Amino acid sequence: MTSKTTVNDWVALEQRLNGLPKPTRTLKLCADPDVRDRYLAAQQAHARAEEYLQSLGKDGDKDARALVEQKVKDAQADLDAARAEYDPITVTLTFKALQRDELQALLDEHPPQEEDEEKGSDFHFDTFAPELIAAASVDGMPAEYAANALKTWSLSDSDDLWAAAWSVQRRKRSDLGKG
């Protein structure tokens, strides 16, 4: 028989489990590749400067530390400037994991055709992908727009659109530890 404490513990744990947010994934599309490249370079430079500062330790040479701290401040200023240029010309799309039964229903509605099966696919990409993108879109993207985007966007961008919607369905939140 289960003790009252165990039942109460389970109720609290169940509430926490039910309150976990579904995984999400974003896709950012920047109108200007040069602005995007500058922003990404600024992010990397800032991360490297922060990492270097952390590696110095608190007891190191104070003058060297002051120089590196200035590098971090400069990198942060460069990042802020790059972000100010990047953000206004960037569109962010967000995708959320579907409940398992919703995803399975979509898969069942778009079974693989012979050529899909030959490629090892569990669905017919041409019809499934736009429907999944629309269903997973937090922003309300219609399936018709998703189908058009998959056909008309550059190969890389359309691949990333698909990857954002599909990969979030398979994103793990679990960790199977030993203890």
Side-chain angles (χ1 to χ4, degrees):
M1 181 169 186
T2 307
S3 72
K4 187 168 177 83
T5 304
T6 304
V7 169
N8 288 338
D9 290 344
W10 171 249
V11 169
L13 183 58
E14 182 179 22
Q15 287 175 339
R16 286 184 61 201
L17 287 168
N18 291 339
L20 290 174
K22 288 187 186 330
T24 59
R25 186 98 193 230
T26 60
L27 171 64
K28 293 181 179 274
L29 299 158
C30 182
D32 185 333
D34 293 332
V35 170
R36 176 185 174 273
D37 291 347
R38 283 193 297 274
Y39 175 65
L40 294 177
Q43 275 186 320
Q44 290 173 349
H46 181 261
R48 282 192 306 269
E50 283 280 350
E51 198 174 292
Y52 185 53
L53 179 61
Q54 297 303 317
S55 73
L56 290 179
K58 305 265 186 220
D59 299 329
D61 181 347
K62 300 227 184 287
D63 291 335
R65 184 168 186 81
L67 285 172
V68 174
E69 286 173 347
Q70 186 58 50
K71 265 191 144 5
V72 170
K73 286 179 185 176
D74 293 345
Q76 182 64 56
D78 290 346
L79 178 57
D80 292 344
R83 182 178 292 122
E85 192 179 6
Y86 175 80
D87 284 348
I89 62 170
T90 300
V91 175
T92 302
L93 301 173
T94 304
F95 300 93
K96 183 185 285 190
L98 303 177
Q99 289 187 176
R100 186 174 176 173
D101 59 342
E102 292 174 299
L103 180 58
Q104 189 59 54
L106 266 179
L107 286 164
D108 292 345
E109 290 171 17
H110 304 277
Q113 295 181 352
E114 189 174 328
E115 71 243 15
D116 301 313
E117 288 177 340
E118 288 172 4
K119 294 176 186 175
S121 182
D122 295 330
F123 50 82
H124 182 55
F125 181 84
D126 293 340
T127 59
F128 175 71
E131 293 295 331
L132 175 68
I133 291 167
S137 173
V138 171
D139 308 299
M141 182 185 292
E144 297 78 24
Y145 186 86
N148 185 55
L150 288 170
K151 290 178 186 171
T152 61
W153 287 7
S154 70
L155 180 60
S156 180
D157 288 345
S158 64
D159 284 351
D160 287 349
L161 175 63
W162 162 247
W166 179 240
S167 66
V168 74
Q169 307 309 318
R170 306 186 62 79
R171 191 172 213 172
K172 286 183 69 162
R173 295 185 296 178
S174 58
D175 179 17
L176 299 175
K178 290 187 177 185

Short mmCIF file of all heavy atoms in Angstrom, two decimals, residues 23 26 31 39 44 49 55-57 73 76 87 107 110 117 122 133 141 148 150 175:
data_model
loop_
_atom_site.label_atom_id
_atom_site.label_comp_id
_atom_site.label_asym_id
_atom_site.label_seq_id
_atom_site.Cartn_x
_atom_site.Cartn_y
_atom_site.Cartn_z
N PRO A 23 9.12 21.70 -25.66
CA PRO A 23 10.32 22.23 -26.30
C PRO A 23 9.95 23.17 -27.46
O PRO A 23 8.95 22.96 -28.15
CB PRO A 23 11.02 20.98 -26.84
CG PRO A 23 10.48 19.85 -26.04
CD PRO A 23 9.08 20.24 -25.69
N THR A 26 13.67 28.06 -32.55
CA THR A 26 13.47 29.25 -33.36
C THR A 26 14.30 29.19 -34.63
O THR A 26 15.34 28.52 -34.68
CB THR A 26 13.84 30.53 -32.59
OG1 THR A 26 15.21 30.47 -32.20
CG2 THR A 26 12.95 30.73 -31.37
N ALA A 31 17.42 39.70 -43.38
CA ALA A 31 17.29 40.21 -44.74
C ALA A 31 18.64 40.51 -45.40
O ALA A 31 18.74 40.53 -46.62
CB ALA A 31 16.41 41.46 -44.75
N TYR A 39 26.96 40.21 -37.17
CA TYR A 39 26.36 39.88 -35.88
C TYR A 39 26.92 38.57 -35.34
O TYR A 39 27.31 38.48 -34.17
CB TYR A 39 24.84 39.80 -36.02
CG TYR A 39 24.14 39.34 -34.78
CD1 TYR A 39 24.15 40.11 -33.62
CD2 TYR A 39 23.45 38.13 -34.75
CE1 TYR A 39 23.51 39.69 -32.47
CE2 TYR A 39 22.80 37.71 -33.61
CZ TYR A 39 22.83 38.48 -32.47
OH TYR A 39 22.20 38.06 -31.34
N GLN A 44 30.62 35.63 -31.60
CA GLN A 44 31.77 34.74 -31.38
C GLN A 44 32.90 35.47 -30.69
O GLN A 44 33.53 34.93 -29.77
CB GLN A 44 32.24 34.16 -32.71
CG GLN A 44 31.27 33.17 -33.31
CD GLN A 44 31.68 32.72 -34.70
OE1 GLN A 44 32.59 33.29 -35.32
NE2 GLN A 44 31.00 31.70 -35.21
N ALA A 49 36.11 36.32 -25.83
CA ALA A 49 36.66 37.25 -24.83
C ALA A 49 36.19 36.85 -23.43
O ALA A 49 36.99 36.84 -22.48
CB ALA A 49 36.23 38.68 -25.15
N SER A 55 39.12 32.12 -17.98
CA SER A 55 40.28 31.24 -17.85
C SER A 55 41.42 31.87 -17.04
O SER A 55 42.30 31.16 -16.57
CB SER A 55 40.82 30.84 -19.24
OG SER A 55 41.49 31.94 -19.84
N LEU A 56 41.40 33.18 -16.89
CA LEU A 56 42.48 33.85 -16.15
C LEU A 56 42.45 33.57 -14.66
O LEU A 56 43.50 33.54 -14.02
CB LEU A 56 42.41 35.37 -16.37
CG LEU A 56 42.77 35.87 -17.75
CD1 LEU A 56 42.63 37.39 -17.81
CD2 LEU A 56 44.19 35.46 -18.12
N GLY A 57 41.29 33.38 -14.12
CA GLY A 57 41.21 33.17 -12.68
C GLY A 57 41.33 34.49 -11.94
O GLY A 57 41.79 35.50 -12.48
N LYS A 73 34.57 44.29 -22.55
CA LYS A 73 33.69 45.47 -22.68
C LYS A 73 33.61 45.92 -24.13
O LYS A 73 32.53 46.25 -24.63
CB LYS A 73 34.19 46.61 -21.79
CG LYS A 73 33.93 46.40 -20.32
CD LYS A 73 34.48 47.55 -19.49
CE LYS A 73 34.33 47.25 -18.02
NZ LYS A 73 34.94 48.30 -17.17
N GLN A 76 31.56 43.48 -26.04
CA GLN A 76 30.14 43.66 -25.72
C GLN A 76 29.57 44.86 -26.47
O GLN A 76 28.46 44.80 -27.00
CB GLN A 76 29.94 43.85 -24.22
CG GLN A 76 28.49 44.00 -23.80
CD GLN A 76 27.66 42.76 -24.08
OE1 GLN A 76 28.00 41.67 -23.61
NE2 GLN A 76 26.59 42.89 -24.86
N ASP A 87 18.72 42.99 -35.38
CA ASP A 87 17.36 42.72 -34.90
C ASP A 87 16.25 43.32 -35.77
O ASP A 87 15.27 42.62 -36.08
CB ASP A 87 17.20 43.17 -33.45
CG ASP A 87 17.84 42.20 -32.47
OD1 ASP A 87 18.21 41.08 -32.87
OD2 ASP A 87 17.98 42.58 -31.28
N LEU A 107 1.47 12.06 -39.13
CA LEU A 107 2.22 11.02 -39.85
C LEU A 107 1.27 10.05 -40.55
O LEU A 107 1.50 9.67 -41.70
CB LEU A 107 3.14 10.27 -38.89
CG LEU A 107 4.39 11.02 -38.43
CD1 LEU A 107 5.01 10.36 -37.21
CD2 LEU A 107 5.40 11.13 -39.57
N HIS A 110 -0.16 11.27 -43.82
CA HIS A 110 0.78 11.46 -44.93
C HIS A 110 1.74 10.27 -45.03
O HIS A 110 2.96 10.41 -44.86
CB HIS A 110 1.58 12.76 -44.73
CG HIS A 110 0.69 13.95 -44.59
ND1 HIS A 110 0.16 14.60 -45.67
CD2 HIS A 110 0.19 14.56 -43.48
CE1 HIS A 110 -0.61 15.59 -45.25
NE2 HIS A 110 -0.61 15.58 -43.93
N GLU A 117 9.50 5.32 -49.27
CA GLU A 117 9.90 4.09 -48.57
C GLU A 117 11.28 3.62 -49.02
O GLU A 117 12.07 3.13 -48.22
CB GLU A 117 8.86 3.00 -48.78
CG GLU A 117 7.58 3.25 -48.02
CD GLU A 117 6.50 2.21 -48.26
OE1 GLU A 117 6.57 1.49 -49.29
OE2 GLU A 117 5.60 2.12 -47.42
N ASP A 122 9.44 7.69 -43.30
CA ASP A 122 8.20 7.23 -42.69
C ASP A 122 7.00 8.08 -43.09
O ASP A 122 5.90 7.90 -42.56
CB ASP A 122 8.32 7.26 -41.16
CG ASP A 122 9.35 6.29 -40.65
OD1 ASP A 122 9.57 5.24 -41.30
OD2 ASP A 122 9.95 6.56 -39.59
N ILE A 133 5.02 21.90 -40.38
CA ILE A 133 5.49 23.26 -40.15
C ILE A 133 4.34 24.12 -39.64
O ILE A 133 4.49 24.87 -38.67
CB ILE A 133 6.14 23.84 -41.42
CG1 ILE A 133 7.45 23.11 -41.72
CG2 ILE A 133 6.35 25.34 -41.30
CD1 ILE A 133 8.02 23.38 -43.10
N MET A 141 1.78 30.11 -38.90
CA MET A 141 2.06 29.97 -40.33
C MET A 141 1.10 28.97 -40.95
O MET A 141 1.01 27.83 -40.50
CB MET A 141 3.51 29.50 -40.55
CG MET A 141 3.87 29.40 -42.03
SD MET A 141 5.52 28.71 -42.33
CE MET A 141 6.57 30.01 -41.70
N ASN A 148 4.71 26.82 -49.94
CA ASN A 148 5.32 27.78 -50.86
C ASN A 148 6.76 28.09 -50.45
O ASN A 148 7.66 28.15 -51.30
CB ASN A 148 4.48 29.06 -50.93
CG ASN A 148 5.00 30.02 -51.96
OD1 ASN A 148 5.15 29.67 -53.12
ND2 ASN A 148 5.30 31.23 -51.53
N LEU A 150 8.83 26.20 -48.79
CA LEU A 150 9.68 25.04 -49.06
C LEU A 150 10.07 24.96 -50.53
O LEU A 150 11.13 24.45 -50.88
CB LEU A 150 8.98 23.75 -48.62
CG LEU A 150 8.88 23.54 -47.12
CD1 LEU A 150 7.95 22.38 -46.79
CD2 LEU A 150 10.26 23.32 -46.49
N ASP A 175 17.19 12.88 -19.42
CA ASP A 175 18.56 12.47 -19.24
C ASP A 175 18.51 11.14 -18.47
O ASP A 175 18.09 11.11 -17.32
CB ASP A 175 19.35 13.53 -18.45
CG ASP A 175 20.79 13.13 -18.22
OD1 ASP A 175 21.28 12.23 -18.92
OD2 ASP A 175 21.42 13.74 -17.34
#
